[in-house]
Amino acid sequence: MEVLLQQLINGLSLGAIYALVALGYTMVYGIIELINFAHGDVYTLGTFFSLAILGLLGVSGELHGAQLVVVVVVTLFGAMMLCGFVGVIIERFAYRRLRNAPRLAPLITAIGVSFILENLMQLWRGPSPVPVPEIVPNPTFHLGGVELATKQLVVIALAIVMMLLLQVFIARTRIGKAMRATAQDREAAQLMGININTTIAVTFLVGSALAGVAGFVSGMYYGTTWFFNGFRAGLYAFTAAVLGGIGNVAGAMLGGFLIGLVQALTTQFISAEWNDVVVFSVLVLVLVFRPTGLLGEALPDRA
Amino acid sequence: MRTSARGLHHDSAYRSPVNRNRLWAALVASLAIFIATAMTACSNAPSSQGARTIKIGIDLPVSGADASTGIPTQNGAVLAIEDANARGVPGGFSFAVSALDDAVQGVHDPAQGAQNVKTLIADPSVLAILGPYNSNVAKAQIPLTNDAGIAQISPATTHTGLTQGDEARALRTTHPDVVAYFRVCTTNDHQGEEIAALARRLGYHRAFDIDDNETYGKGLADVFDRRFTAAGGSILGHEHLTRGQQDFKALLTKARSQRPDMVFFGGTTASGGGVLRKQMGDVGMARTPFFGGDGISDAQFIVDAGAVADGTYYTVAAADASKLPTARRFIAAYRRRWKSDVGPYSANAYAAAEVAVAAIEEAIRQAKGTMPERAAVLANVAATKGLDTPIGRIAFDRNGDTTNPILSAYEIQNGKPRFVTQLYYAR
């Protein structure tokens, strides 16, 4: 029983990172129907940016009190901004000109951008895993036989907060409204005076900033990263987005948590080497019975 | 409206002067590239086809996660070849190194290894190949070197089936009775047995086994299971990692629930050994000792594992060079040449290169100073007897395995490997 609870916690914290990355996939797909394969690498960039900022701040060990708060806020915000900037740049130079091209063209460009980012990161920080300083203290709470590491709780909480903020942003702000309009019908939105280019750029900015959050969180949580990390994480996050209903923000979140849980429970009750088989079988089953994903039809508009 | 705009664009594609300029630019650029290539080809020609140069090929992973062991291994081999040139090669020949990297995206890759060996085989001046580092890469290469009849000597691959039994016969696809693959290190049979014995000697009896599902890792873990059980211990579970995975917490939570007093890992640092050890700290297993084979013997393991690297035990299928009297000169020379410390397989690589050098020099003498045949070199490598190297006297048995198998065991203490014991096998 304790083991089961422990595995649920493990699964949720793993899923939280997938969910944060999946939000970016789903936002971009929702608005321009592009699978942004470079997104997983923007997530890895988030970890490297955090690492660089921590290096600039001269931080290498655990911090406490106000110092901790300041460093976390500065690093997180910095990583978000830098990732958001990278996302906007990618959209401007790699995708914008191909917006009306056949669908295969931007897809291939996305794969190309992914390779470019991976190789830039390899040149920047070398091809070996790089340790990330663990600045957040990690006391463990004991609840019965279950150990709750602070880091795990922070990861889960942060993912949920980010999703809620994103929901509010999309539902309540002017630019969110413009995003929804653009997702529904780009030409009609343009006719109504919405600046399509700005709206799509903002989508990339927000989605990539969320990848920056995920990158920071995964650096703190695992204490290590390497340039190729985003490939696999991106694949899972994309799967999460499809599972939850691509284009749907709550669905991406649900899909992320679900995949994390499925992985943890598969490891516990079957075997770790069956993880991929089970995850992708679940995906196939869901798509057979609900081709739009779990929440694909629950909401009228995408984005 | 959008379609008409696109149509307009299409029309202009063939007529506008802008595009004609682009065409010219492309032509000029390709001409420049052509000239540049031709010039490099010319400048390469004399050196690569210099009348009396014999090449020794090297295939090792020298970038990425494997680089921290691959580079010191390559350095050892290069040093041996430089030493041979300094001594003087019979017939007025000189040796050159043709070194290739089998790591792709930072991890050793069997397909790249096979491609590299094909490249080396295609070059007629390559008379012997050193490498690879990883057993799964070796599996992709052995059929090729067997087919080409070129001697291949590995400093570090330990999977038993590479040289022994039905698996080895199946790998020698073209000439099942010809052995072209040799190694100066011992096998996983010995390594697994010795780690199991060491763990039992230290008083551990409940092991959880994890491997990386690669040729080397799974082979070693299976041997460990058998030997540990035979020595009176029990294996509580045996799990496999998937390549590229980053989160091992669920796996380790499962392991912990079985209450093991040690964890064995069959695999390499590149396939996740160091990160696995690090996350043992996250699930409250920092004090549970971690055992592994030579796959985790590199400096990167300690970087990856961070604060919980201590309490890790591993073996290396090589002599601890600093303990071996014949190795002192080698270590001093290595430091002078490379300005760094030897890696776990540097001395083995030096020895492997010495085997190749001796066989080629003998073949030159047999050919009365003319360019020798690969077949003659291969025969000489197989007949190697009593060759003095930094890891002792080398000879090969009929499978291509060393007759002088040595293992060293280490423990990581305060973030540094500490030599525990050395084991010799006389067969």
Side-chain angles (χ1 to χ4, degrees), chain B residues 399-410:
Chain B
N399 295 321
D401 278 322
T402 175
T403 54
N404 183 23
I406 295 171
L407 278 171
S408 314
Y410 298 84

Side-chain angles (χ1 to χ4, degrees), chain B residues 154-317:
Chain B
S154 166
T157 52
T158 54
H159 177 62
T160 309
L162 296 177
T163 56
Q164 297 173 22
D166 294 340
E167 192 180 345
R169 282 188 71 80
L171 286 173
R172 297 173 197 139
T173 38
T174 319
H175 311 290
D177 298 319
V178 178
V179 172
Y181 187 78
F182 303 85
R183 51 183 165 188
V184 298
C185 55
T186 186
T187 62
N188 275 353
D189 274 357
H190 291 314
Q191 193 169 204
E193 179 181 350
E194 211 39 58
I195 302 166
L198 178 69
R200 291 291 296 132
R201 216 162 45 237
L202 293 169
Y204 300 112
H205 57 276
R206 293 166 60 82
F208 195 93
D209 197 349
I210 299 171
D211 72 53
D212 65 358
N213 251 344
E214 286 192 16
T215 308
Y216 160 80
K218 187 166 185 315
L220 181 62
D222 289 346
V223 174
F224 177 82
D225 279 4
R226 272 203 307 280
R227 294 298 179 173
F228 194 71
T229 318
S234 50
I235 301 292
L236 306 174
H238 189 151
E239 284 281 343
H240 312 275
L241 306 183
T242 317
R243 186 159 165 174
Q245 214 179 338
Q246 193 195 19
D247 191 300
F248 305 121
K249 287 181 186 172
L251 178 65
L252 289 168
T253 300
K254 180 180 188 178
R256 199 182 67 141
S257 67
Q258 311 271 328
R259 304 188 195 294
D261 58 14
M262 62 165 283
V263 170
F264 178 80
F265 175 64
T268 59
T269 306
S271 61
V275 179
L276 184 72
R277 175 61 181 163
K278 183 190 180 69
Q279 292 186 13
M280 281 176 71
D282 293 337
V283 299
M285 294 178 83
R287 290 173 175 280
T288 310
F290 189 68
F291 283 73
D294 53 330
I296 58 167
S297 63
D298 50 349
Q300 185 69 35
F301 175 83
I302 297 174
V303 174
D304 291 0
V308 288
D310 285 9
T312 300
Y313 295 84
Y314 60 82
T315 52
V316 174

Side-chain angles (χ1 to χ4, degrees), chain A residues 90-111:
Chain A
I90 292 172
E91 193 275 329
R92 178 66 189 81
F93 290 103
Y95 303 148
R96 185 174 294 183
R97 287 179 64 109
L98 295 172
R99 206 176 283 157
N100 296 321
R103 295 188 69 168
L104 206 53
L107 196 70
I108 300 298
T109 319
I111 294 172

Side-chain angles (χ1 to χ4, degrees), chain A residues 29 47 51 62 65 74 99 104 126 130 153-154 226 238 241 264 266 279 298:
Chain A
Y29 187 86
T47 316
L51 198 57
E62 230 172 71
V74 167
R99 206 176 283 157
L104 206 53
V130 182
L153 299 180
V154 171
W226 68 310
F238 173 63
T266 306
V279 166

Side-chain angles (χ1 to χ4, degrees), chain A residues 159-218:
Chain A
I160 292 174
V161 168
M162 285 295 161
M163 188 205 67
L164 291 178
L165 285 179
L166 183 64
Q167 287 280 40
V168 171
F169 175 75
I170 291 173
R172 298 285 155 86
T173 61
R174 266 179 81 84
I175 185 84
K177 204 178 202 177
M179 283 163 66
R180 279 181 288 145
T182 310
Q184 271 185 3
D185 189 329
R186 201 186 302 161
E187 278 168 31
Q190 200 163 15
L191 290 174
M192 299 309 287
I194 290 174
N195 186 337
I196 300 296
N197 284 339
T198 314
T199 309
I200 292 176
V202 168
T203 309
F204 272 84
L205 178 79
V206 174
S208 302
L210 287 170
V213 177
F216 171 79
V217 165
S218 110

